[in-house]
Amino acid sequence: MSRTSRGHRATLEKQPHEVAAMFDGVAGRYDLTNTVLSFGQDRGWRRATRQALGLHPGDRVLDVGAGTGVSTAELALSGGRAVGLDLSLGMLRAGRRVRPQVPLLAGDALALPFPDATFDAVTISFALRNVVDTDAALRELARVTRPGGRLVVCEFSRPTNPAFRTAYLSYLMRSLPTVARAVSSNPDAYVYLAESIQEWPDQAALAGRIGGSGWGAVAWRNLTGGIVALHRAVRD
């Protein structure tokens, strides 16, 4: 848990207004901070997400938790019609300044502002763990996806090697806040993010939750030794 930009502690229950305020506070340097903290791995994770979706030119794809739209811009490289959505107005404003060509909308993952079966594919990257009701968000993603459409969840997960996992957790709780203080506009927010990563289900547990929320053919693969996992599924 950490203090938001307003000085109140943000609990792991993730109340939407607190999450939005926290991301408003980090918006200005969010993309730079992510690249520094991930040692540049974030670019490869975005590329892997796009490839896992198997997009074709003209496909309609929704990017939930899009933030500044850097992930939405990556999806558009496939030739698909990518739309980004985020809860934080600060993140959206920052994104529109640097990526005016990327469609970015304000919205809540629990009440997506689209009719049923609108999209051929949906994705959410590093944002599902910040939603107050994970299962409801997965069901809402299923609602706006056509039957046979695809889902990819890109999220921090559990490194599979015990020694590597120990070193990674040490980095999260000790080194990451120190690095964040040097580059982030709101470094305390990254303490919350580190703790939310520790609380998040492992690969198999998340796969079970996806499979219980209107999705079939659930599978996953690890990136960077399991620091990140890509979960793929098909709309039933």
Side-chain angles (χ1 to χ4, degrees), residues 11 26 34 48 50 58 60 64 66 81 90 95 107 129 138 148 153 161 169 172 175 181 207 221 234:
T11 71
V26 301
N34 283 348
R50 172 174 57 83
R60 298 160 299 172
V64 176
R81 293 177 287 171
R129 73 183 192 284
L138 289 167
V153 176
N161 180 280
L169 291 175
L172 277 181
S175 301
R181 277 192 289 274
R221 70 182 180 97
V234 176

Side-chain angles (χ1 to χ4, degrees), residues 2-234:
S2 73
R3 297 187 181 278
T4 68
S5 57
R6 293 179 299 171
H8 302 316
R9 292 187 69 83
T11 71
L12 294 178
E13 279 70 35
K14 306 178 290 290
Q15 293 303 313
H17 68 280
E18 290 185 328
V19 172
M22 180 183 68
F23 281 101
D24 288 346
V26 301
R29 304 183 74 183
Y30 184 74
D31 293 336
L32 171 64
T33 302
N34 283 348
T35 298
V36 171
L37 294 178
S38 69
F39 302 99
Q41 295 294 306
D42 59 321
R43 299 184 183 97
W45 297 338
R46 287 193 294 271
R47 184 170 58 251
T49 298
R50 172 174 57 83
Q51 293 169 344
L53 278 167
L55 297 170
H56 302 288
D59 278 355
R60 298 160 299 172
V61 56
L62 175 64
D63 182 20
V64 176
T68 65
V70 63
S71 54
T72 317
E74 175 70 35
L75 296 175
L77 295 177
S78 66
R81 293 177 287 171
V83 175
L85 179 139
D86 202 273
L87 188 65
S88 165
L89 297 181
M91 295 284 276
L92 294 171
R93 282 192 293 268
R96 287 167 181 153
R97 283 195 298 271
V98 296
R99 300 179 186 89
Q101 78 284 4
V102 175
L104 294 173
L105 304 176
D108 188 340
L110 298 177
L112 297 172
F114 305 103
D116 295 356
T118 297
F119 295 96
D120 300 293
V122 293
T123 185
I124 182 167
S125 295
F126 307 112
L128 188 58
R129 73 183 192 284
N130 295 318
V131 178
V132 68
D133 189 333
T134 300
D135 298 327
L138 289 167
R139 291 192 297 270
E140 185 68 353
L141 287 167
R143 181 187 67 78
V144 301
T145 305
R146 65 167 177 79
R150 291 93 64 200
L151 164 74
V152 169
V153 176
C154 180
E155 188 56 87
F156 290 110
S157 196
R158 195 73 52 85
T160 54
N161 180 280
F164 181 45
R165 182 164 60 246
T166 298
Y168 170 63
L169 291 175
S170 176
Y171 168 71
L172 277 181
M173 301 313 299
R174 297 180 183 180
S175 301
L176 185 147
T178 300
V179 176
R181 277 192 289 274
V183 295
S184 173
S185 52
N186 183 14
D188 285 347
Y190 286 86
V191 178
Y192 163 88
L193 294 174
E195 294 197 0
S196 72
I197 291 168
Q198 290 195 87
E199 294 287 324
W200 188 244
D202 66 13
Q203 291 90 326
L206 180 57
R209 296 180 76 164
I210 294 171
S213 302
W215 299 96
V218 182
W220 76 85
R221 70 182 180 97
N222 292 317
L223 304 177
T224 320
I227 287 178
V228 167
L230 287 183
H231 283 72
R232 294 168 293 171
V234 176

